Amino acid sequence: MKILIADDDPLTRRLLEKTLERVGYEVISVTDGRQAVKSLSATDAPRLALLDWMMPELDGPGVCREIRKRREQNYVYMILLTSRQSKEDTVLGLESGADDYLVKPFNTDELKARLRTGERILHLEDRLVEAREGMRFKATHDHLTTLWNRGVIMDLLGRELTRSQRENGCTAVLLGDLDRFKSVNDTHGHLVGDQVLREVARRLLLSVRSYDFVGRYGGEEFLVVLNNCRPDSAFGRAEEIRKTICTRPIQTDAGPLGVTMSLGVLLSRDWGQRPADELMREVDAALYAAKAAGRNCIRQAKPEESRDVVSIARPAVERVR
């Protein structure tokens, strides 16, 4: 584990270096407070720090205050080293943001014990962060495909539409649905169906740019948001996605399965200032039209055609996927 030593006295600094290196720490040494702040703010910075109270440029409590302002970085466990022994100084040091306080001359075994305490606290902090990030991931991602879930992808779509309207850009909205997916579950079981959904999600992610959005809209439907998409290339990109899904069979426990996808496409610039939920109704209608046209194809929603698309897409009987 990395540890920072900040002390302007070369003899104390060398003694600490030798002691800590013998017990397995990777030691980084600096001679003043400003260098300490810089080292503790760097990428892959030490998580443990021994700070002398009196240093040039910035004293130990000042270093603690500066580091505690940087809330976005990993927690740093800081121990102040000083010859001051009054209760007032102890309180001042701890209130500056230090985690512990050690009076010089200190016992080597006591120093090691206090550092082990710091390591335990950092370990607990890392576990809390890991648990928090895990909960955040579960709240925002689909558990099966790990794509954005419906709530998040719709929120991202709304934000992107607002941005493109403000900047007079264009967002392409693609709603894709796997054709006859029910027969996969009925014939091979839901575990195989899950394998198909996961592979489709993987192929969709590989088919878009890093700043595009892909989410599971529901069941076997997937929503793709192409940001800053040129209007003349949206249909071509949708065609690439369709081919990505249908060109190669998906390997499953039941053997290779051929899967196809029908897609509805909508360009935001064709629809003015309409909100995301209204645009979703239009692109869903285009998806219905693609299903009615024989599946494994693409239909684009256009304002002047929306009534015709809806009439084709919503027959009296339930849609067959």
Side-chain angles (χ1 to χ4, degrees), residues 116-181:
R116 286 195 293 270
T117 299
E119 289 187 45
R120 287 197 299 270
I121 290 174
L122 290 175
H123 179 63
L124 289 172
E125 198 261 348
D126 289 343
R127 288 176 62 184
L128 286 172
V129 170
E130 183 180 349
R132 182 191 66 198
E133 293 304 314
M135 292 174 63
R136 180 181 298 168
F137 187 89
K138 289 179 180 178
T140 56
H141 291 73
D142 174 63
H143 74 281
L144 176 65
T145 63
T146 71
L147 298 176
W148 295 117
N149 62 29
R150 180 168 179 153
V152 173
I153 191 67
M154 286 300 297
D155 180 65
L156 292 172
L157 172 60
R159 293 171 184 265
E160 180 57 25
L161 289 173
T162 300
R163 187 201 61 78
S164 64
Q165 290 164 2
R166 182 177 63 250
E167 299 177 3
N168 197 28
C170 181
T171 298
V173 184
L174 283 59
L175 184 61
D177 182 270
L178 295 180
D179 298 321
R180 296 186 174 90
F181 182 73

Side-chain angles (χ1 to χ4, degrees), residues 178 181 184-185 187-200 203 248-259:
L178 295 180
F181 182 73
V184 174
N185 285 330
T187 304
H188 304 288
H190 287 278
L191 291 179
V192 171
D194 289 348
Q195 292 174 347
V196 170
L197 291 173
R198 282 193 290 265
E199 175 60 16
V200 167
R203 294 185 185 185
R248 291 181 294 109
I250 294 176
Q251 300 300 321
T252 72
D253 291 345
L257 297 179
V259 177

Side-chain angles (χ1 to χ4, degrees), residues 266 271 274 277-293 299-317 319:
L266 179 145
W271 299 87
R274 295 173 66 173
D277 56 345
E278 290 188 21
L279 296 188
M280 286 306 302
R281 285 196 291 271
E282 299 295 345
V283 74
D284 186 56
L287 174 57
Y288 270 91
K291 292 286 187 180
R299 291 294 181 268
Q300 183 172 341
K302 296 197 178 223
E304 65 273 17
E305 299 173 359
S306 58
R307 291 183 181 177
D308 294 335
V309 168
V310 171
S311 65
I312 294 173
R314 300 187 183 276
V317 296
R319 172 168 59 171

Side-chain angles (χ1 to χ4, degrees), residues 252-268:
T252 72
D253 291 345
L257 297 179
V259 177
T260 63
M261 175 178 280
S262 302
L263 294 110
V265 179
L266 179 145
L267 300 179
S268 64

Side-chain angles (χ1 to χ4, degrees), residues 13-268:
R13 194 170 62 249
R14 188 61 181 159
L15 175 63
L16 286 170
E17 288 175 359
K18 288 294 186 182
T19 299
L20 297 177
E21 286 173 350
R22 278 199 299 268
V23 294
Y25 288 102
E26 179 184 345
V27 179
I28 299 172
S29 298
V30 297
T31 58
D32 65 64
R34 288 297 174 194
Q35 292 178 1
V37 171
K38 183 177 180 182
S39 295
L40 293 175
S41 303
T43 303
D44 197 26
R47 302 284 304 282
L48 287 170
L50 295 174
L51 308 172
D52 188 31
W53 186 301
M54 299 300 295
M55 290 187 291
E57 302 292 335
L58 191 65
D59 63 12
V63 173
C64 294
R65 284 189 287 268
E66 285 294 316
I67 295 303
R68 294 297 179 238
K69 291 178 184 177
R70 292 161 166 76
R71 298 182 181 275
E72 72 281 354
Q73 70 181 53
N74 290 328
Y75 191 81
V76 180
Y77 191 90
M78 295 179 286
I79 300 176
L80 282 175
L81 304 176
T82 180
S83 57
R84 303 185 181 194
Q85 300 186 40
S86 70
K87 294 296 182 183
E88 292 79 6
D89 288 329
T90 302
V91 171
L92 178 62
L94 295 176
E95 287 186 341
S96 72
D99 297 282
D100 205 348
Y101 186 96
L102 198 57
V103 177
K104 297 178 181 179
F106 50 84
N107 178 274
T108 301
D109 289 334
E110 182 183 4
L111 172 62
K112 294 176 185 177
R114 290 176 184 261
L115 288 174
R116 286 195 293 270
T117 299
E119 289 187 45
R120 287 197 299 270
I121 290 174
L122 290 175
H123 179 63
L124 289 172
E125 198 261 348
D126 289 343
R127 288 176 62 184
L128 286 172
V129 170
E130 183 180 349
R132 182 191 66 198
E133 293 304 314
M135 292 174 63
R136 180 181 298 168
F137 187 89
K138 289 179 180 178
T140 56
H141 291 73
D142 174 63
H143 74 281
L144 176 65
T145 63
T146 71
L147 298 176
W148 295 117
N149 62 29
R150 180 168 179 153
V152 173
I153 191 67
M154 286 300 297
D155 180 65
L156 292 172
L157 172 60
R159 293 171 184 265
E160 180 57 25
L161 289 173
T162 300
R163 187 201 61 78
S164 64
Q165 290 164 2
R166 182 177 63 250
E167 299 177 3
N168 197 28
C170 181
T171 298
V173 184
L174 283 59
L175 184 61
D177 182 270
L178 295 180
D179 298 321
R180 296 186 174 90
F181 182 73
K182 185 176 182 298
S183 65
V184 174
N185 285 330
D186 292 345
T187 304
H188 304 288
H190 287 278
L191 291 179
V192 171
D194 289 348
Q195 292 174 347
V196 170
L197 291 173
R198 282 193 290 265
E199 175 60 16
V200 167
R202 189 188 72 85
R203 294 185 185 185
L204 288 174
L205 285 174
L206 292 176
S207 301
V208 301
R209 302 162 298 185
S210 60
Y211 50 87
D212 293 326
F213 307 132
V214 182
R216 188 179 181 189
Y217 192 66
E220 61 271 23
E221 287 188 327
F222 297 87
L223 179 60
V224 181
V225 181
L226 303 178
N227 307 317
N228 291 319
C229 183
R230 288 172 39 200
D232 58 351
S233 65
F235 199 91
R237 293 190 61 190
E239 178 64 11
E240 291 174 3
I241 289 175
R242 185 193 67 79
K243 289 180 179 178
T244 297
I245 302 301
C246 71
T247 301
R248 291 181 294 109
I250 294 176
Q251 300 300 321
T252 72
D253 291 345
L257 297 179
V259 177
T260 63
M261 175 178 280
S262 302
L263 294 110
V265 179
L266 179 145
L267 300 179
S268 64

